[in-house]
Amino acid sequence: REAINGLNVKENGTYIDATVGGAGHSIEIAKLLNADGLLIGIDQDPEALKAAAKRLSGFECSVKLISSNFSDIADVVDRVGTEHVDGILMDIGVSSYQLDESARGFTYREDVPLDMRMNPSVEITAAYIVNEEPEDKLCQIIGQYGEERWAARIAKFICERRKERPIATTGELVDIIRAAVPKGARQEGIHPARRTFQALRIEVNDELGSLERGIKGAVKVLGSEGRLAILSYHSLEDRIVKQTFRQMEEPCTCPREMPVCICGLKPVIKVITRKPELPSDAEIERNSRARSAKLRIAQKL
């Protein structure tokens, strides 16, 4: 609700759900648009687009669904041919739709093929990474993207196991992680495989690189006073959103002691949320997956 409110939806405006997924947010935007309004949904997952098309049929506004990555949002706007965008929503990371499709290999709670691709046409899978990347690269991925303190042990255990046979399923990988993480650390509350699975998913889908490119592309296509609302789910994502917003709000590179700006770089956005908005206790109770969400909003100048 806070994300939709943050867009300040105008009934005849043009809005983009840059990560349409199962269309949960898109439906709420479409409810606020009239026949002159346009909703553009972007997703790289063809199954998600099929599901979104069904759920978005019957609304008064025009709906266009585009197969693409949100990092290419500027190209999508060119393809659609719209001249003005009033608001953009990005819900970063794996969607509930993808999590619920267990065969996609995002979940550590079922034994399915180790995949994790949001776009099935991409060649690199999680299975390729755990079976082919050298130990030091695996340690870097798990440590940096998963913020996992046992990254070195997990990478070592993966490399030892794959000498026997390829690691093909999520269940096999979970067993390896359980063996690598000391017993005391496995009792800390979260599933021991959660951080490693997060890291692999980010690497497979280039999520952090896509995020920075997507933010800059989104601001480029927004009209004056258009809003960009971004939901992120872990510290690495939120840090990128925060830093990119700051760079676009305060781009001047002149020394602070300089009496006047000579670099010529001007602000292009105003940050609306100085601190990220967090989900209410009531929302977390309704939807536990929202517990780590952080919402940041910026407005185009």
Side-chain angles (χ1 to χ4, degrees), residues 104-115:
R104 301 293 294 277
F106 289 105
T107 180
Y108 43 74
R109 301 190 184 280
E110 297 183 48
D111 189 18
V112 294
L114 192 54
D115 193 320

Side-chain angles (χ1 to χ4, degrees), residues 166-188:
I167 302 164
T169 71
T170 55
E172 291 176 61
L173 182 57
V174 167
D175 289 342
I176 295 167
I177 296 168
R178 286 188 188 278
V181 176
K183 183 178 180 181
R186 295 200 303 268
Q187 299 173 346
E188 292 178 352

Side-chain angles (χ1 to χ4, degrees), residues 15 17 63 93 115 150 191 229 301:
Y15 293 87
D17 185 343
V63 176
D115 193 320
W150 302 107
H191 194 287
L301 296 177

Side-chain angles (χ1 to χ4, degrees), residues 72-295:
D72 298 321
I73 191 169
D75 292 335
V76 170
V77 170
D78 283 342
R79 285 160 54 190
V80 172
T82 184
E83 295 182 358
H84 187 84
V85 177
D86 297 288
I88 299 170
L89 175 67
M90 294 180 177
D91 190 359
I92 305 304
V94 65
S95 69
S96 290
Y97 174 82
Q98 289 163 330
L99 283 173
D100 293 337
E101 291 289 313
S102 59
R104 301 293 294 277
F106 289 105
T107 180
Y108 43 74
R109 301 190 184 280
E110 297 183 48
D111 189 18
V112 294
L114 192 54
D115 193 320
M116 301 194 191
R117 292 173 297 172
M118 294 181 184
N119 182 350
S121 67
V122 172
E123 292 185 7
I124 300 298
T125 65
Y128 176 87
I129 292 171
V130 300
N131 287 295
E132 302 297 334
E133 293 288 8
E135 184 175 332
D136 59 344
K137 179 65 181 296
L138 275 175
C139 179
Q140 178 187 357
I141 291 169
I142 297 168
Q144 181 178 352
Y145 295 159
E147 299 178 300
E148 171 59 77
R149 62 172 169 159
W150 302 107
R153 277 178 61 88
I154 293 170
K156 180 180 179 181
F157 276 53
I158 287 172
C159 291
E160 289 177 351
R161 177 68 69 86
R162 74 189 189 188
K163 291 176 183 176
E164 303 171 11
R165 64 182 184 279
I167 302 164
T169 71
T170 55
E172 291 176 61
L173 182 57
V174 167
D175 289 342
I176 295 167
I177 296 168
R178 286 188 188 278
V181 176
K183 183 178 180 181
R186 295 200 303 268
Q187 299 173 346
E188 292 178 352
I190 70 167
H191 194 287
R194 178 179 170 186
R195 294 189 180 97
T196 298
F197 272 59
Q198 169 185 292
L200 291 172
R201 190 200 78 219
I202 289 172
E203 175 70 9
V204 167
N205 297 288
D206 185 28
E207 291 181 30
L208 300 185
S210 295
L211 176 55
E212 186 172 354
R213 294 192 299 272
I215 295 171
K216 292 178 178 178
V219 171
K220 179 181 177 181
V221 301
L222 276 173
S224 178
E225 298 188 357
R227 291 282 185 94
L228 172 59
I230 303 179
L231 282 162
S232 62
Y233 293 86
H234 62 78
S235 60
L236 292 175
E237 293 172 343
D238 182 59
R239 194 176 307 137
I240 288 173
V241 178
K242 178 181 178 181
Q243 292 174 349
T244 307
F245 276 4
R246 181 185 296 152
Q247 290 166 3
M248 302 182 89
E249 185 180 44
E250 302 174 1
C252 179
T253 58
C254 298
R256 291 187 178 276
E257 61 271 17
M258 189 78 70
V260 293
C261 172
I262 60 171
C263 73
L265 298 175
K266 303 297 183 184
V268 293
I269 65 169
K270 173 186 177 182
V271 175
I272 303 300
T273 50
R274 290 300 161 187
K275 293 183 178 180
E277 290 194 42
L278 305 178
S280 65
D281 292 340
E283 179 170 0
I284 295 172
E285 187 174 346
R286 291 194 308 270
N287 175 21
S288 63
R289 290 173 180 169
R291 65 186 178 276
S292 57
K294 293 182 178 180
L295 171 65

